[in-house]
């Protein structure tokens, strides 16, 4: 079966935007409405490499989910925040988090990291 040029499966688009180990966690970290610096995001994620964090942030920015603001002062710094489109995804992610919490509870996994306080 051949797809038309401008046709894409919605689930493929979803995995393009949110797929991978880190993107949903980044959205979660940025959900508290305060812009976050790169170093704070990295610290909150834990064991992510600089290369993977940079790549994930760039991809989320390309999809319009986050915005990057560079401050050219001394010392220079960059802050990341959710865009309107990114904030719009929080409802969907909240539902996914509720499902995951139910499944975790049913499986005896009650440990919850608490990072995504604004998601569920």
């Amino acid at each position: 079966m051949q797809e038309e040029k401008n046709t894409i499966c919605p689930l493929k688009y979803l995995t393009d935007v949110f797929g991978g180990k880190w993107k949903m966690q980044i959205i979660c970290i940025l959900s508290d409405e305060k812009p976050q610096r790169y170093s704070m995001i990295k610290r909150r994620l834990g064991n992510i490499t600089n290369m993977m964090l940079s790549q994930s942030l760039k991809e989320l920015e390309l999809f319009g989910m986050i915005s990057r603001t560079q401050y050219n002062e001394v010392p220079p710094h960059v802050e990341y925040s959710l865009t309107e489109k990114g904030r719009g995804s929080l409802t969907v992610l909240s539902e996914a988090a509720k499902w995951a919490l139910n499944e975790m509870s049913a499986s005896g996994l009650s440990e919850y990291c608490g990072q995504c306080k604004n998601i569920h």
Side-chain angles (χ1 to χ4, degrees):
M1 183 167 121
Q2 188 176 8
E3 288 188 26
E4 294 180 29
K5 271 193 173 185
N6 291 325
T7 343
I8 187 169
C9 171
L11 293 178
K12 178 172 181 346
Y13 182 79
L14 182 75
T15 57
D16 287 347
V17 175
F18 296 109
K21 183 176 179 179
W22 304 104
K23 289 180 187 174
M24 284 190 274
Q25 292 180 61
I26 292 168
I27 296 288
C28 180
I29 288 169
L30 296 176
S31 71
D32 66 4
E33 299 291 324
K34 293 183 292 189
Q36 298 284 325
R37 290 188 180 194
Y38 181 95
S39 59
M40 180 57 76
I41 297 169
K42 185 168 180 7
R43 191 173 310 121
R44 288 180 69 185
L45 287 172
N47 61 347
I48 189 171
T49 64
N50 283 322
M51 189 168 114
M52 184 54 68
L53 178 54
S54 293
Q55 179 182 336
S56 297
L57 290 168
K58 284 177 187 172
E59 289 174 9
L60 287 168
E61 187 179 9
L62 282 172
F63 277 106
M65 303 301 288
I66 65 171
S67 64
R68 178 184 187 275
T69 305
Q70 184 168 333
Y71 295 91
N72 295 323
E73 49 193 39
V74 178
H77 70 276
V78 174
E79 292 182 343
Y80 296 91
S81 57
L82 288 181
T83 61
E84 196 62 39
K85 183 177 179 180
R87 282 189 292 280
S89 72
L90 295 178
T91 304
V92 173
L93 294 177
S94 174
E95 289 302 311
K98 287 176 189 172
W99 176 86
L101 283 170
N102 286 336
E103 290 299 310
M104 288 166 58
S105 178
S107 301
L109 301 171
S110 59
E111 283 293 314
Y112 167 58
C113 68
Q115 285 217 32
C116 299
K117 30 187 183 254
N118 297 318
I119 294 287
H120 57 274

